[in-house]
Amino acid sequence: MTAAEIKNNVEKALEEIRPFLVSDGGNIKLLSIENNKVKVQLEGACSGCSVNQMTLKNGVEATIKKYAPVIEEVINVA
């Protein structure tokens, strides 16, 4: 899988997740993909939400790995 394909698949995963975050008053932005690690920024209500780490691991990371299995980890950059 090329870097462009990985980025495209990560973007597809974020598009799948985004409606759920937006419905809670938040959003997510892709910052970078380096060494099979994705850096994202949770925005709006999601940035201060007490369950954002659970959302990140169980929702965002799981969905990204479904689209791009080479991804090892998703990191939220505050």
Side-chain angles (χ1 to χ4, degrees), residues 27-63:
N27 208 336
I28 191 165
K29 178 169 66 176
L30 175 63
L31 299 177
S32 67
I33 303 170
E34 301 165 20
N35 303 321
N36 294 333
K37 292 180 181 8
V38 174
K39 290 186 180 174
V40 296
Q41 186 170 42
L42 291 168
E43 301 175 324
C46 293
S47 65
C49 178
S50 61
V51 295
N52 72 13
Q53 279 307 107
M54 191 174 72
T55 298
L56 189 70
K57 290 293 176 192
N58 296 345
V60 176
E61 187 171 276
T63 304

